[in-house]
Amino acid sequence: MSPSSFSTLPVDIVLEILARVPKRFHPSLSCVSKNFRRLLRSPDIHKIRSLHRKDSLFLCFSGKTYEKPSNWFTLRRAENNPTENHFVSIDLTFPSQTEKDPSIVAIGPELFFICGSFYPSSAMWVLDSRTATFRQGPSSRADRLYRSVGVVGSKVYVIGSYRDSEIHVESFDVNTRTWELAPVPKDQEDWWGSTSAVSLNRKLCTLSFSEISKCYDTRDGSCERLGLPKGIKWCWSVMNNLLYVYYARFGLMWYDSELRLWRVVNGLNHLNKVRSVAMAEYYGKLALLWVEEKVGVSGEKFLWEEEEVGVSGETKEVWCRMIALEKSEGEVHGIAEAPQLLGSVPRVCRLKHCLSVSD
């Protein structure tokens, strides 16, 4: 059916149809017409997907050592209640005993575990979130240490090095289930420590512990550097083609690509600053998750990992706040919902991964 045929249908019918399309195909549908793009970004389609419980978050809490197994949870909408979320522990054990600390990314209903953090590896494992079962995926072209892993479209990109020191890139196509070489990054410097990557305009943007972010263009290998404000940054995410980063000092910020500077999201100044944060898109809003701990610094409430105010001495609380974001007149405004206590995790656990999964 063509876009013109869709235009003859009632809007509610079109929304019901589009809501059933897997979310990984939404970027392609957005290119079909301006009307499709508008509908796919509307709050109504997220309400419908919420009723059908299409989306979920997979959360990984790790211990202080890699020898201890991780604790996995899902955050899902309650059945027949689009405003209530259920935080449920799931039994997931990574199949490989030799591969430590894999990088994890999600495409659609699958999670991809890319090995090679400490020792060179070509292994990849795939988790089907619908059945909570692992299978071994195709091996990459050669053993390598990964520096950064991210998703652009339907491909997983792995930036890393083989036996030499040159940085190479491989991509795994989830449709053809094959690996292929991608363009070599033209900027070979400062890839260490940049394991977290997000997709923006077909580029992989890496977040490191320095004040420099690097963006790798998957089309030609060109790279650009984005300056970052000084301070402790916990995580970042992309929504509606805008890049967001969360700072312990400033709170939520967004990158203005026209002015090439970072700006604070308006409307959130009243929120307490938190640490040990993760965030991801969840039904059209930004889900901000944190572990509730305490330390007072200069009269402000900051949350540290070593001091505990959880539900007991052996556990700590996991909290979530949904934030609606809208850009207008060159500014980004946020409307925060009330925080929700999700549950508790063992005190030694740290929030490591927050992955958006969709059917």
Side-chain angles (χ1 to χ4, degrees):
M1 183 178 290
S2 66
S4 59
S5 301
F6 262 84
S7 64
T8 63
L9 296 174
V11 174
D12 57 341
I13 300 297
V14 175
L15 287 170
E16 285 285 349
I17 295 172
L18 293 177
R20 285 166 168 76
V21 176
K23 197 173 180 181
R24 61 187 179 276
F25 297 125
H26 284 194
S28 298
L29 279 175
S30 296
C31 298
V32 173
S33 69
K34 291 183 178 179
N35 189 41
F36 271 25
R37 182 163 58 250
R38 178 181 61 82
L39 291 175
L40 288 169
R41 291 184 177 182
S42 71
D44 294 329
I45 199 167
H46 295 296
K47 291 179 182 178
I48 297 172
R49 289 183 62 84
S50 178
L51 290 172
H52 294 291
R53 306 173 73 201
K54 287 286 187 179
D55 303 338
S56 61
L57 297 181
F58 270 61
L59 308 172
C60 176
F61 294 83
S62 65
K64 293 185 178 181
T65 63
Y66 296 115
E67 284 70 26
K68 293 186 178 181
S70 299
N71 292 269
W72 283 87
F73 295 81
T74 60
L75 186 67
R76 297 180 185 272
R77 282 287 159 87
E79 193 169 359
N80 300 321
N81 188 345
T83 63
E84 183 181 349
N85 298 300
H86 286 174
F87 183 66
V88 180
S89 175
I90 54 176
D91 184 16
L92 284 184
T93 301
F94 186 58
S96 175
Q97 300 299 317
T98 57
E99 303 285 359
K100 304 296 183 184
D101 195 29
S103 182
I104 310 173
V105 294
I107 300 180
E110 294 182 322
L111 280 68
F112 297 84
F113 291 66
I114 307 299
C115 303
S117 58
F118 293 107
Y119 305 101
S121 176
S122 61
M124 177 180 71
W125 291 85
V126 183
L127 173 70
D128 189 326
S129 65
R130 296 161 296 191
T131 59
T133 55
F134 280 96
R135 69 176 186 275
Q136 188 157 17
S139 298
S140 60
R141 298 168 62 90
D143 290 350
R144 45 95 182 94
L145 289 170
Y146 72 74
R147 312 291 181 89
S148 190
V149 180
V151 172
V152 175
S154 60
K155 293 184 177 181
V156 178
Y157 284 84
V158 181
I159 301 174
S161 59
Y162 300 115
R163 294 183 182 275
D164 56 10
S165 58
E166 184 179 16
I167 300 297
H168 300 270
V169 184
E170 285 185 272
S171 67
F172 178 75
D173 191 316
V174 299
N175 295 320
T176 63
R177 301 286 166 173
T178 56
W179 288 93
E180 61 182 12
L181 288 175
V184 174
K186 296 178 181 179
D187 183 350
Q188 291 280 310
E189 303 296 326
D190 301 327
W191 286 103
W192 278 116
S194 302
T195 58
S196 173
V198 294
S199 173
L200 183 68
N201 296 325
R202 297 197 61 80
K203 298 177 182 179
L204 279 184
C205 297
T206 63
L207 177 65
S208 66
F209 293 107
S210 66
E211 274 67 57
I212 296 294
S213 166
K214 295 184 65 173
C215 292
Y216 161 80
D217 195 318
T218 59
R219 293 163 290 194
D220 59 11
S222 60
C223 301
E224 63 176 314
R225 299 189 176 211
L226 305 179
L228 290 166
K230 292 184 178 180
I232 300 176
K233 47 193 174 296
W234 287 104
C235 58
W236 61 358
S237 184
V238 171
M239 278 186 57
N240 294 330
N241 215 33
L242 285 179
L243 179 60
Y244 296 91
V245 64
Y246 189 89
Y247 273 82
R249 179 180 178 185
F250 306 110
L252 189 62
M253 304 184 73
W254 67 284
Y255 184 69
D256 189 327
S257 57
E258 295 181 0
L259 299 178
R260 297 185 64 83
L261 55 82
W262 290 92
R263 307 175 68 180
V264 175
V265 174
N266 294 332
L268 305 178
N269 293 336
H270 63 288
L271 302 183
N272 287 328
K273 305 299 189 298
V274 292
R275 299 195 177 200
S276 191
V277 172
M279 59 187 184
E281 183 180 357
Y282 187 63
Y283 291 113
K285 297 181 181 180
L286 190 68
L288 185 70
L289 299 106
W290 70 94
V291 176
E292 183 74 18
E293 299 159 302
K294 74 171 183 178
V295 154
V297 178
S298 301
E300 291 184 288
K301 181 182 179 184
F302 283 102
L303 307 178
W304 295 80
E305 291 189 353
E306 301 302 329
E307 299 201 23
E308 183 63 49
V309 288
V311 294
S312 75
E314 299 299 322
T315 61
K316 53 190 176 185
E317 298 171 335
V318 180
W319 288 80
C320 177
R321 187 192 294 274
M322 302 297 172
I323 302 175
L325 297 164
E326 181 178 355
K327 184 180 180 183
S328 63
E329 300 180 353
E331 302 283 345
V332 174
H333 301 268
I335 300 176
E337 298 178 3
Q340 177 187 358
L341 175 60
L342 299 179
S344 61
V345 295
R347 185 178 187 275
V348 297
C349 288
R350 299 182 179 183
L351 181 51
K352 187 167 187 179
H353 296 289
C354 179
L355 300 157
S356 181
V357 177
S358 63
D359 292 339

